[in-house]
């Protein structure tokens, strides 16, 4: 009991000073910390990485050559006009024409589904092959009675028709395959998906 009462007066005597010194130390610490904080953002080097080119594009779609031997007689042209001997007029040719003998096998360029087999006077026998990803490949000037029908599932390399000269609008070009590519309903250049350079050298 006696020792307890002795302790308290001492605490009361120095307590004020202990509190004062502690308070000053805390204030100094706070001042130093806030000064460093204020300095921080100004001296710090902020590097912002550009977000472009961060997306890696998906594997490019690659067509099998529609014919085993490639001889392009009329290439794709979106704007440049080419003379049509048959129609005797200049026109854009939004397709590739491949010269081949009558009856030459025409291949599915990718796995897909046949969506149309039809005939019209200007383009002859037409086969449409949906290969997915919004891409439809249209084969024209085929022989009568193609070996496929709408709804057929075909594999890349399957024979979907044979070369002929049934397209009256291109009759003067003789037997050939007229190949179009459509992406989401828009006519696009088949060369985007075909690599004909190696086939042509064969
Ligand atoms: Zn053509």
């Amino acid at each position: 009991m006696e020792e307890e009462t002795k302790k308290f007066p001492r605490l009361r005597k120095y307590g004020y000073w202990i509190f004062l010194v502690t308070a000053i130390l805390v204030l100094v610490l706070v001042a130093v910390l806030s000064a460093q904080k204020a300095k921080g953002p100004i001296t710090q080097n902020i590097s912002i990485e550009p977000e472009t080119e961060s997306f890696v594009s998906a594997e490019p779609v690659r067509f099998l050559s529609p014919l085993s031997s490639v001889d392009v007689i009329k290439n794709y042209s979106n704007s440049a006009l080419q003379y049509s001997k048959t129609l005797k007029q200049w026109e854009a040719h939004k397709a590739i024409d491949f010269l081949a003998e009558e009856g030459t096998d025409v291949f599915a360029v990718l796995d897909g589904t046949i969506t149309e087999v039809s005939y019209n006077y200007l383009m002859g026998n037409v086969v449409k092959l949906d290969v997915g990803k919004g891409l439809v490949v249209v084969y024209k000037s085929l022989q009568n009675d193609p070996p496929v029908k709408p709804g057929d599932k075909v594999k890349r390399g399957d024979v979907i028709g044979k070369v002929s000269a049934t397209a009256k609008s291109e009759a003067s070009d003789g037997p050939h395959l007229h190949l179009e590519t459509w992406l989401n309903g828009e006519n696009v250049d088949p060369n985007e998906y075909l690599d004909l350079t190696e086939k042509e050298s064969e």
Side-chain angles (χ1 to χ4, degrees):
M1 275 296 254
E2 227 171 293
E3 285 213 351
E4 291 265 312
T5 46
K6 265 182 194 170
K7 264 186 193 169
F8 283 117
R10 256 192 202 173
L11 207 69
R12 231 172 258 146
K13 197 177 172 186
Y14 300 112
Y16 173 76
W17 293 105
I18 289 164
F19 171 77
L20 202 69
V21 168
T22 310
I24 288 165
L25 280 172
V26 166
L27 278 173
V28 167
L29 199 72
V30 165
V32 167
L33 280 176
S34 58
Q36 271 183 350
K37 222 178 184 183
K39 236 196 269 175
I42 299 160
T43 52
Q44 204 180 346
N45 264 330
I46 300 165
S47 64
I48 298 160
E49 293 290 325
E51 280 186 31
T52 51
E53 293 176 60
S54 59
F55 296 103
V56 179
S57 60
E59 272 289 292
V61 177
R62 278 274 153 254
F63 287 174
L64 176 75
S65 172
L67 298 167
S68 57
S69 174
V70 166
D71 182 4
V72 174
I73 46 164
K74 209 188 279 177
N75 214 326
Y76 183 90
S77 156
N78 196 8
S79 53
L81 298 179
Q82 301 191 32
Y83 189 71
S84 163
K85 282 186 272 177
T86 311
L87 299 175
K88 294 187 172 59
Q89 64 185 26
W90 291 86
E91 55 181 12
H93 187 253
K94 294 186 170 188
I96 302 176
D97 283 356
F98 300 92
L99 190 67
E101 282 179 27
E102 173 81 32
T104 302
D105 284 342
V106 176
F107 308 121
V109 296
L110 282 175
D111 294 0
T113 306
I114 302 296
T115 55
E116 185 184 315
V117 178
S118 61
Y119 171 84
N120 75 74
Y121 182 79
L122 288 177
M123 293 318 300
N125 293 297
V126 176
V127 168
K128 290 187 183 176
L129 172 64
D130 187 330
V131 296
K133 295 178 182 175
L135 268 171
V136 176
V137 181
V138 184
Y139 301 81
K140 295 181 175 178
S141 198
L142 297 172
Q143 254 183 8
N144 291 342
D145 303 320
V148 288
K149 59 183 189 306
D152 282 358
K153 305 266 185 222
V154 297
K155 288 281 174 197
R156 179 186 159 103
D158 283 354
V159 175
I160 56 94
K162 288 177 187 297
V163 168
S164 190
T166 56
K168 293 291 183 288
S169 68
E170 296 182 339
S172 60
D173 293 326
H176 71 282
L177 168 67
H178 172 106
L179 187 87
E180 295 173 7
T181 308
W182 295 76
L183 177 62
N184 299 321
E186 298 258 336
N187 181 292
V188 291
D189 188 347
N191 287 294
E192 299 280 328
Y193 308 100
L194 278 167
D195 186 13
L196 300 175
T197 45
E198 39 184 286
K199 278 280 174 190
E200 268 170 319
S201 62
E202 274 176 15

